[in-house]
């Protein structure tokens, strides 16, 4: 990629972390922008977990929480950085070469293509070339990870991708507003009907046999219907602690459009 690039990724969940990881691997200096209380469930593979814990190591990458853009500028790039900045104020201060919106809100929360020389939207909610330069498809299937430079990603269906024949059954939803409590940890085996967590006094049951792949942080308030966890029917505990095939495929699309942009200069 030539000179070391500065890349900002809005979001630090599991898909965003696949992007952060591959950008970091090819030598970019990477900053992830997150909310004060990130609501991702796959915390073991999310850079955003550093907001709660100060740092997290995902495969061979360490992501560390920082307090300011000045601190980021002083970093060598050995680690990925995470900054609480949901509004993206640091984008104007840092003038990144690449801006990736991977918040996964299924709508554009304010990212514009004038924010950086190359602006990429991940998944539904973005239109290229109107508000971003490119969109990366996130729906599982034949088009996963493809680069879209004219148009939008496939609209959100609200139905999770199928794994071993399961879709919505894989996801744990909150039965009410409140906070999640559990003595389960990511990587635990669960069986259909097991109590996996409580929201207040209401139990949340697993709908299938598998591995608990994700659980929302207990400090994050949830509403009725919020996704609070994820059970993987494949039963491979190691999968909970490595970046997913989907995240890496989406990240591949990001690297493709960056290289295409470089070659067009």
């Amino acid at each position: 990629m030539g000179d070391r690039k500065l890349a900002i990724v809005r979001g630090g969940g599991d898909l965003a972390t696949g992007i952060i990881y591959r950008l970091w691997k090819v030598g970019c200096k990477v900053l992830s922008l997150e909310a004060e209380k990130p609501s991702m469930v796959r915390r073991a593979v999310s850079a955003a977990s550093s907001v709660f814990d100060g740092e997290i190591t995902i495969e061979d990458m360490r992501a560390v929480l920082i307090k300011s853009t000045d601190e980021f500028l002083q970093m060598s790039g050995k680690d990925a950085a995470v900054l609480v900045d949901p509004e993206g104020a640091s984008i104007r201060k840092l003038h990144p070469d690449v801006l990736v919106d991977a918040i996964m809100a299924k709508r554009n929360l304010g990212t514009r293509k004038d924010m950086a020389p190359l602006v990429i939207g991940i998944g539904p909610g973005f239109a290229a070339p109107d508000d971003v330069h490119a969109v990366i498809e996130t729906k599982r299937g034949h088009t996963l990870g493809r680069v879209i430079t004219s148009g939008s990603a496939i609209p959100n269906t609200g139905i999770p991708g199928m794994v071993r024949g399961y879709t919505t059954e894989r996801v744990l939803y909150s039965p009410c507003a409140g906070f999640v409590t559990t003595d389960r940890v990511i990587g635990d085996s669960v069986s259909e009907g097991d109590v996996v967590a409580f929201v207040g006094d209401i139990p949340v049951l697993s709908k299938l046999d598998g591995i608990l792949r994700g659980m929302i942080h207990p400090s994050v308030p949830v509403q009725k219907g919020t996704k609070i966890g994820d059970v993987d029917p494949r039963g491979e505990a190691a999968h909970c602690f490595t970046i997913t095939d989907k995240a890496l495929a989406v990240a591949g699309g990001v690297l493709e459009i960056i290289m295409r942009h470089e070659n067009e200069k």
Side-chain angles (χ1 to χ4, degrees):
M1 285 191 188
D3 294 337
R4 188 174 191 134
K5 290 191 175 298
L6 193 163
I8 291 181
V9 179
R10 301 191 75 177
D14 64 302
L15 275 189
T17 299
I19 297 165
I20 293 164
Y21 181 78
R22 284 204 149 156
L23 289 171
W24 174 81
K25 271 290 197 180
V26 299
C28 291
K29 191 172 182 181
V30 189
L31 174 65
S32 169
L33 306 182
E34 256 300 347
E36 185 175 354
K37 289 188 178 294
S39 59
M40 74 288 172
V41 301
R42 293 182 191 163
R43 291 187 283 127
V45 288
S46 293
S49 289
S50 63
V51 174
F52 302 112
D53 303 323
E55 64 177 68
I56 183 172
T57 298
I58 301 162
E59 301 194 21
D60 57 340
M61 177 187 76
R62 190 172 72 129
V64 297
L65 181 66
I66 61 171
K67 296 180 179 179
S68 68
T69 53
D70 287 341
E71 186 176 349
F72 176 69
L73 291 171
Q74 293 169 9
M75 294 177 68
S76 66
K78 178 183 177 182
D79 301 318
V82 179
L83 177 67
V84 174
D85 179 15
E87 302 303 321
S90 57
I91 299 169
R92 294 187 295 275
K93 295 179 181 178
L94 293 173
H95 305 289
D97 300 294
V98 180
L99 174 65
V100 182
D101 189 322
I103 297 173
M104 306 307 297
K106 310 302 190 292
R107 58 194 178 95
N108 190 340
L109 298 180
T111 295
R112 308 181 312 274
K113 67 179 182 181
D114 62 356
M115 288 178 161
L118 179 60
V119 179
I120 304 165
I122 306 301
F126 303 97
D130 297 333
D131 49 12
V132 295
H133 296 102
V135 178
I136 310 299
E137 181 59 67
T138 56
K139 184 174 177 59
R140 285 193 179 275
H142 186 68
T143 58
L144 175 65
R146 293 195 180 260
V147 175
I148 302 163
T149 54
S150 180
S152 303
I154 296 170
N156 179 42
T157 64
I159 300 174
M162 185 177 291
V163 176
R164 292 265 176 104
Y166 296 101
T167 58
T168 54
E169 302 93 341
R170 298 191 295 109
V171 181
L172 304 172
Y173 296 102
S174 176
C176 62
F179 290 88
V180 176
T181 57
T182 181
D183 59 2
R184 301 278 191 169
V185 296
I186 292 171
D188 278 357
S189 295
V190 297
S191 299
E192 182 180 353
D194 282 356
V195 176
V196 179
F198 289 86
V199 182
D201 296 326
I202 301 177
V204 180
L205 310 182
S206 176
K207 297 178 182 177
L208 50 86
D209 298 343
I211 296 291
L212 185 63
R213 186 164 60 161
M215 182 63 67
I216 200 167
H217 195 275
S219 70
V220 178
V222 301
Q223 301 299 317
K224 183 177 181 179
T226 298
K227 178 179 177 179
I228 62 168
D230 181 301
V231 176
D232 188 339
R234 292 170 292 192
E236 294 286 346
H239 289 179
C240 303
F241 305 101
T242 53
I243 298 168
T244 66
D245 55 344
K246 179 177 179 178
L248 292 176
V250 170
V254 170
L255 293 185
E256 177 191 326
I257 193 60
I258 290 174
M259 296 303 298
R260 285 166 56 180
H261 183 259
E262 284 294 293
N263 291 335
E264 289 168 1
K265 286 184 179 180

